[in-house]
Amino acid sequence: MSAVLQTFDLSKSFGGITATDHVDFTLAKGARHALIGPNGAGKTTFVNQLTGVLRPSSGRIELMGEDITALPREARVKRGLARTFQINQLFGTMTPLEMIALVTSERLGRGSHPFRALDRDLELVGQTAEILTRFRLDDIMDRRIATLPYGKQRQIEIAAAFAARPSVLLLDEPAAGVPEAERRELMQTVAALPDDVSVLLIEHDMDLVFRFATRITVLVNGRVLAEGTPEEMARDSSVRAAYLGEGAHA
């Protein structure tokens, strides 16, 4: 499978601390890929470099074969790289309908006031409705986001990222704090996204990782310790010793 996102020799240092250490990484087209590792492994620093929050100390990042290492965040989003955060980045006074319509309108070049056009812009209406349906938000689309359960808020944030039509979607612990029943529904929805959306999941919940991912990269002390299928990672003694523990299972 062709690569949509790659890093080459990517490193980031803060003073005398090396957070990511010569990381070579490839995300394949259509992948359901998980990045795991203990606290302090460098996962968030790595993702922040991918998305332009942090500038690497050295190395290169490519998106669809283009060097994006020096590009600002907004330019990366326009080229198809979207993310969610550990803490929701939502407008609590909006409804899911308004939130999705806003992102969709920006992508379609309709400006930042989509609500005036919702009754006459058929393309905007159609795409917004499709996303609300895909993420099972139809029945709550007119409720204020701040009043909704946390699991639904996480689902809305992923839906909003998807509304940007990314080729790469980075999910930073999307299920953290979400009840188990809602967590399963959330990840089933993500797993069912179109094949042209490649997903990189950063997550601590190993049961969720093994259910979702078809490939796993293990980061320890800023370096890639191992990479492979969930079954390979569960059997890898170095991974078990560093992170999963002897009781790990696929």
Side-chain angles (χ1 to χ4, degrees):
M1 297 180 70
S2 59
V4 292
L5 180 67
Q6 290 182 286
T7 69
F8 303 89
D9 207 29
L10 197 68
S11 297
K12 180 63 180 178
S13 297
F14 300 96
I17 299 174
T18 301
T20 54
D21 193 0
H22 303 284
V23 175
D24 292 325
F25 173 82
T26 297
L27 183 69
K29 183 176 181 179
R32 300 296 181 258
H33 198 133
L35 178 67
I36 67 172
N39 289 330
K43 303 184 297 297
T44 297
T45 299
F46 179 67
V47 171
N48 283 341
Q49 291 173 87
L50 296 180
T51 55
V53 176
L54 292 173
R55 184 76 177 266
S57 301
S58 62
R60 187 170 81 257
I61 305 167
E62 290 187 1
L63 178 65
M64 309 295 287
E66 177 187 2
D67 189 341
I68 63 167
T69 311
L71 288 182
R73 284 176 277 184
E74 297 78 9
R76 300 182 197 213
V77 173
K78 289 180 179 179
R79 283 165 172 75
L81 181 63
R83 75 172 291 183
T84 65
F85 295 81
Q86 293 180 20
I87 300 174
N88 282 338
Q89 307 287 307
L90 296 171
F91 299 110
T93 58
M94 282 187 173
T95 66
L97 171 62
E98 291 170 339
M99 186 80 195
I100 302 306
L102 177 63
V103 179
T104 304
S105 177
E106 287 285 346
R107 174 173 52 79
L108 293 173
R110 304 293 199 266
S112 57
H113 299 286
F115 319 123
R116 302 170 187 168
L118 275 175
D119 61 344
R120 61 183 184 275
D121 190 327
L122 296 182
E123 184 178 22
L124 174 60
V125 170
Q127 292 192 21
T128 300
E130 188 277 329
I131 293 169
L132 290 168
T133 299
R134 176 183 293 277
F135 285 87
R136 306 174 192 179
L137 300 170
D138 312 64
D139 58 338
I140 59 168
M141 66 179 182
D142 292 321
R143 293 175 56 185
R144 297 297 172 193
I145 291 173
T147 68
L148 296 172
Y150 186 67
K152 284 297 182 184
Q153 292 185 26
R154 297 299 279 178
Q155 196 135 332
I156 294 164
E157 186 177 22
I158 297 172
F162 178 75
R165 289 281 178 90
S167 54
V168 175
L169 181 58
L170 307 180
L171 304 178
D172 196 350
E173 297 191 38
V178 178
E180 178 62 28
E182 296 177 53
R183 184 179 305 179
R184 287 177 177 271
E185 177 183 333
L186 178 70
M187 296 314 299
Q188 286 170 359
T189 302
V190 173
L193 290 178
D195 290 341
D196 60 356
V197 179
S198 306
V199 180
L200 176 60
L201 172 73
I202 298 88
E203 183 56 61
H204 284 290
D205 185 329
M206 287 300 97
D207 287 336
L208 187 154
V209 166
F210 281 117
R211 287 197 303 266
F212 172 80
T214 55
R215 193 161 188 82
I216 296 173
T217 297
V218 183
L219 201 65
V220 176
N221 296 325
R223 286 181 172 270
V224 174
L225 175 69
E227 182 175 300
T229 66
E231 294 76 18
E232 290 169 340
M233 295 300 93
R235 293 194 300 265
D236 190 302
S237 59
S238 65
V239 173
R240 297 175 72 93
Y243 185 53
L244 296 178
E246 291 303 312
H249 60 281

